[in-house]
Amino acid sequence: MDRAALTTRVLTLLTEIAPDVDPGGVIAAVNFRDQFDFDSMDTLNFAIALHRELGVDVPEAEYSQLASLDKCVEYLAGKLHAG
Amino acid sequence: MRIEYRMPALGADMDYGTVVEWHVQPGSRFKRGDVVAVVETDKGAIDVEIFEEGVVAQLLVQPGTKVPVGTPLALIEVEGLAPSPALAGEGGGEGSSPSPALAGEGGGEGSFPSPALARERVPAGRVRAPDSSARVRISPAARIRAKELGVDISTLTGSGPDGAVTRDDVERSAKGMPSPPPSPSKLGEGVEPSPPPSPSKLGEGAEPSPPPSPSKLGEGEKKTMRDAIAASMSRSKREIPHYYLSLTADVTHAVDWLAAHNAAVPVTERLLFAALLVKAVALACRHEKGFSGFYRDGRYEEAPAVHVGVAVAIRGGGLVAPAILDTAIKPLPTLMQEFRDIVARARAGRLKASELAAPTIILTSLGDSPVESVFPIIQPPQVAIVGAGAVLPRPWVCDGQLVVRQLCTLSLGADHRVTDGRLGAQFLGRIARLVAAPDSPEWSAT
């Protein structure tokens, strides 16, 4: 999966967890928390969705890697490549 | 026997609800706990359950219709409730004694079923069909009109709140017209749910509103949710003499315990710190009385079961506090699953009526914000609310040494008509002790 496809996939998952988020309006470099009040429940649901949809297990200690779209894609690309 | 299924009150300040969609049709069988309809309220779209078994006879209200609480929505044929001799005169105006099903009803001015009663004694929506004259609820204006027109009020079916007979019902009857369902000729007259209408206005208006989008709350819904919060919190500040306590707890051990637990289980079974808080509040309520219950008509009644409501912030504004039912007896993994589910549905605007009506106490956790502590406001008719600030590393004195620990400031807003600071301190102290040690025997012993 290339970066563009991965980004699309992540955005889709994001809007499944937070249906009130406009995927077109997400700023890639800004933390989800600052952009749309992402909280610990959202982060947990996001981690569960990533595991279910992409088979990537994100340990709790690495949740900070999921903080923004940029970080997320970077982190997942590494994980998927390694896996 | 055939009974009316009525628009339930899904909270103290709900006067109207809009049937958005029916999940049943005439002839549909239903069992206890089935969701029969989706009702749009100021708290979002709510899945309304039924607490009977039987068959739908007739739907009385079309989707899109806004009706007052208590309006008959459907006629249902209920099983296992054969008319008893005492009920033989039902509808005949012979003064039959009220059925047990009605015993818990009619809670005075507010006339909404109590949240606890709605679930445990008077299931939402369940009211026995056309009643005897001994039980006719009628407004003074309607009673006068009935006298003028020579209408026997015992023959009327009320379309007002809790089945109250309205002036319109009387006039319809005098003209030989059937009373319910609420007249569609009133559609679009612009009756708004807030400010709370006077009792005389109830039962007059029926207004269509667009069905909500299934996945998120629209601006209109956020506005009505804001109105509902305003009504509830204004009432709280007006009526409830709050006292507030706060306590900072060293939760380092709990944080470590959670991290170890979450590292050892699959991602779907990870726990949040907030889940520990929910459970701790519920366990503490079983020991300390006076915090989990309702204050109504000048007296407090402890709820028989603890249902902790969790305050869920809606992105872009708004707040709703659905309950995790029977919180105290649920194991943490189950509680966490339900917590995740309820937050997701709260944000998507799909809560169940029983969840919204049920809370006996609320937990508001601002753990994801930089806020250290919250001074929470009680949601009437409840009598207490527990708040929690962020868990943060802070300086702390431990065995005479200054150390860095994970601290969380817990707070309590409680009703001084029911408890005092001393009891509140015991309650909050117990919550803090429980949260700090989720592996202590106190958790499993209860």
Side-chain angles (χ1 to χ4, degrees):
Chain A
M1 200 181 325
D2 63 17
R3 290 287 174 112
L6 189 54
T7 304
T8 310
R9 198 71 186 276
V10 167
L11 279 175
T12 307
L13 292 180
L14 201 61
T15 49
E16 275 170 24
I17 294 156
D20 33 3
V21 168
D22 168 20
V26 176
I27 306 163
V30 177
N31 282 358
F32 295 145
R33 172 173 298 200
D34 298 332
Q35 275 191 84
F36 26 76
D37 294 342
F38 230 55
D39 61 16
S40 52
M41 185 67 86
D42 294 316
T43 305
L44 174 59
N45 285 332
F46 194 35
I48 290 171
L50 290 174
H51 183 257
R52 189 185 59 229
E53 299 296 323
L54 302 176
V56 177
D57 191 2
V58 185
E60 201 176 44
E62 293 175 16
Y63 278 176
S64 60
Q65 303 294 316
L66 305 178
S68 70
L69 187 58
D70 275 348
K71 279 187 174 176
C72 209
V73 170
E74 185 70 27
Y75 174 78
L76 292 172
K79 280 265 188 179
L80 289 168
H81 187 258
Chain B
M1 79 182 195
R2 180 166 292 201
I3 63 174
E4 289 176 345
Y5 183 77
R6 300 189 177 211
M7 175 65 76
L10 306 173
D13 296 296
M14 171 172 164
D15 296 312
Y16 290 84
T18 303
V19 176
V20 175
E21 116 185 50
W22 282 106
H23 283 199
V24 292
Q25 295 303 323
S28 298
R29 298 196 67 83
F30 53 83
K31 58 183 193 310
R32 198 178 151 78
D34 279 358
V35 171
V36 293
V38 180
V39 169
E40 174 66 16
T41 73
D42 46 25
K43 295 195 173 84
I46 310 296
D47 286 341
V48 179
E49 305 122 299
I50 198 158
F51 293 94
E52 309 284 355
E53 290 209 21
V55 181
V56 177
Q58 191 188 347
L59 303 181
L60 301 173
V61 172
Q62 293 301 311
T65 314
K66 180 174 185 173
V67 297
V69 166
T71 302
L73 301 179
L75 294 176
I76 56 177
E77 212 49 70
V78 175
E79 290 162 8
L81 279 173
S84 70
L87 298 177
E90 183 188 350
E94 293 173 22
S96 63
S97 61
S99 81
L102 287 168
E105 223 210 359
E109 292 302 314
S111 78
F112 50 86
S114 90
L117 294 179
R119 232 177 66 75
E120 280 145 33
R121 277 188 257 159
V122 186
R126 182 206 200 283
V127 176
R128 194 160 56 87
D131 215 327
S132 69
S133 58
R135 292 283 304 177
V136 171
R137 293 162 154 271
I138 183 166
S139 70
R143 192 180 291 278
I144 290 164
R145 191 71 182 138
K147 219 169 184 178
E148 288 170 0
L149 297 171
V151 172
D152 178 2
I153 57 171
S154 69
T155 63
L156 298 178
T157 304
S159 64
D162 282 344
V165 173
T166 65
R167 204 165 182 273
D168 278 3
D169 293 331
V170 173
E171 292 184 344
R172 266 194 298 271
S173 167
K175 291 176 194 155
M177 294 157 64
S179 42
S183 144
S185 65
K186 295 274 185 183
L187 294 184
E189 280 191 13
V191 178
E192 284 295 322
S194 63
S198 67
S200 65
K201 273 174 73 186
L202 289 175
E204 284 183 18
E207 182 191 19
S209 72
S213 122
S215 62
K216 59 182 183 184
L217 300 175
E219 287 311 307
E221 290 156 295
K222 281 182 180 165
K223 164 79 168 75
T224 47
M225 183 183 279
R226 177 53 49 199
D227 289 342
I229 295 167
S232 175
M233 292 299 100
S234 301
R235 178 181 161 200
S236 179
K237 285 281 180 172
R238 210 164 44 234
E239 295 179 5
I240 304 178
H242 286 67
Y243 67 88
Y244 303 96
L245 305 174
S246 83
L247 179 163
T248 298
D250 175 358
V251 295
T252 312
H253 175 68
V255 170
D256 293 345
W257 180 88
L258 266 185
H261 172 90
N262 289 346
V265 298
V267 61
T268 48
E269 292 170 31
R270 284 180 197 162
L271 302 172
L272 293 179
F273 184 74
L276 296 184
L277 287 167
V278 172
K279 177 83 176 175
V281 168
L283 290 177
C285 286
R286 299 177 87 186
H287 288 273
E288 317 289 341
K289 300 300 174 193
F291 303 96
S292 171
F294 307 102
Y295 189 92
R296 265 191 302 258
D297 301 327
R299 57 183 278 272
Y300 171 72
E301 196 177 335
E302 183 87 10
V306 182
H307 309 304
V308 176
V310 286
V312 179
I314 307 299
R315 263 179 276 273
L319 183 67
V320 66
I324 297 172
L325 301 178
D326 295 314
T327 327
I329 58 174
K330 285 200 170 125
L332 262 180
T334 311
L335 193 150
M336 184 64 215
Q337 296 295 335
E338 295 191 15
F339 189 16
R340 275 181 54 209
D341 176 57
I342 216 167
V343 171
R345 285 187 293 107
R347 289 184 170 153
R350 292 306 294 264
L351 290 168
K352 290 180 189 162
S354 55
E355 294 163 340
L356 267 180
T360 58
I361 182 170
I362 286 173
L363 168 73
T364 177
S365 169
L366 292 179
D368 285 300
S369 73
V371 161
E372 286 171 26
S373 65
V374 50
F375 310 92
I377 303 167
I378 299 164
Q379 178 174 299
Q382 293 159 35
V383 297
I385 179 167
V386 175
V391 176
L392 294 168
R394 301 267 179 195
W396 186 250
V397 176
C398 191
D399 295 331
Q401 297 293 310
L402 188 59
V403 290
V404 174
R405 305 288 284 177
Q406 298 285 340
L407 303 185
C408 178
T409 298
L410 303 174
S411 52
L412 171 72
D415 189 333
H416 230 322
R417 296 171 302 184
V418 182
T419 57
D420 304 310
R422 186 179 157 79
L423 278 179
Q426 282 175 15
F427 179 58
L428 198 57
R430 188 179 284 272
I431 295 170
R433 207 163 62 235
L434 284 160
V435 169
D439 51 355
S440 80
E442 229 181 326
W443 280 72
S444 44
T446 38

